[in-house]
Amino acid sequence: MSTTHVRRGDPITTVLTWEVRPGREQDFEDWTRGITRCARRFPGNEGVSWLRPEQGHRFHAVLRWSDPQRLAAWLESDERAAWHERIADVATEIGSERQSTSGMETWFSLPGTTVQPPPRWKMVLTTFLGAYPFTLLIQWLVAPATGAWPLPLRAAVFPVMLLPTLTYLVMPQLSHLLRRWLYPPPDR
């Protein structure tokens, strides 16, 4: 499993890639519902999302866990092994494409690929470029209106507005716009 430095107790996200035999997509999708229900009951699970390809036969599972130890317990569990036996003639997990990340690099990773996240300094700079204009905007428009609020409530306004904006709008577009700088061709 390719991982960045993950400290004990840090939340972790893992992307698993599955190659589905042509014509068996519906069987595979039925299986995903069952294994997802099983994984959700497992300690430390914080969610499983399945990405179906627009073309081809590779499906991706995005697993979120409270910490690397609980993720490892799931990956090595008898329950997961039993689910894998059920799908042996339908799909194969491509272990070489398994990726795990924690922290900010999930904004920059490319699911289903073996491309490594950019260096942390590039992630920090890109995040600054995305966050600064919205920080300025929030401070200009919102901070004056919340000046009389208690500090904990005022402090909550900023991340509640900024983080969804960055995660869903700004960072996907910014990482797409800067993709050649973030992911230079291998010959460089």
Side-chain angles (χ1 to χ4, degrees):
M1 177 181 338
S2 168
T3 60
T4 56
H5 178 68
V6 179
R7 294 176 304 187
R8 185 171 189 82
D10 282 350
I12 188 165
T13 301
T14 295
V15 178
L16 307 177
T17 301
W18 289 85
E19 183 74 33
V20 179
R21 286 172 185 68
R24 303 297 302 268
E25 294 83 4
Q26 187 59 52
D27 294 332
F28 184 76
E29 288 187 22
D30 293 342
W31 176 83
T32 64
R33 287 188 281 282
I35 195 169
T36 299
R37 280 191 303 272
C38 182
R40 285 185 181 145
R41 292 189 301 266
F42 216 80
N45 180 276
E46 295 183 351
V48 177
S49 302
W50 286 92
L51 307 174
R52 182 187 169 123
E54 290 180 22
Q55 304 175 12
H57 302 283
R58 286 194 177 187
F59 287 68
H60 308 285
V62 181
L63 291 75
R64 292 172 301 284
W65 292 84
S66 61
D67 57 75
Q69 296 73 29
R70 289 187 172 170
L71 170 63
W74 163 250
L75 293 174
E76 297 164 8
S77 71
D78 293 338
E79 294 93 332
R80 183 173 186 267
W83 277 98
H84 279 232
E85 286 178 23
R86 296 179 188 185
I87 202 75
D89 63 335
V90 173
T92 305
E93 182 185 348
I94 304 172
S96 64
E97 292 192 11
R98 185 182 291 179
Q99 299 177 49
S100 294
T101 59
S102 67
M104 191 170 59
E105 67 269 5
T106 57
W107 276 345
F108 298 93
S109 61
L110 304 172
T113 69
T114 55
V115 175
Q116 294 298 312
R120 287 185 184 259
W121 70 269
K122 286 186 177 184
M123 290 190 283
V124 167
L125 185 57
T126 303
T127 304
F128 176 80
L129 291 173
Y132 181 75
F134 289 95
T135 302
L136 190 61
L137 189 63
I138 291 168
Q139 293 296 322
W140 179 54
L141 295 175
V142 179
T146 61
W149 295 7
L151 180 60
L153 191 56
R154 279 193 329 251
V157 169
F158 185 77
V160 163
M161 294 181 78
L162 183 64
L163 296 177
T165 302
L166 285 178
T167 301
Y168 294 106
L169 300 175
V170 177
M171 294 311 293
Q173 291 180 8
L174 196 54
S175 31
H176 178 73
L177 180 69
L178 299 175
R179 70 187 175 280
R180 291 181 189 203
W181 178 67
L182 292 166
Y183 308 99
D187 59 328
R188 272 184 151 173

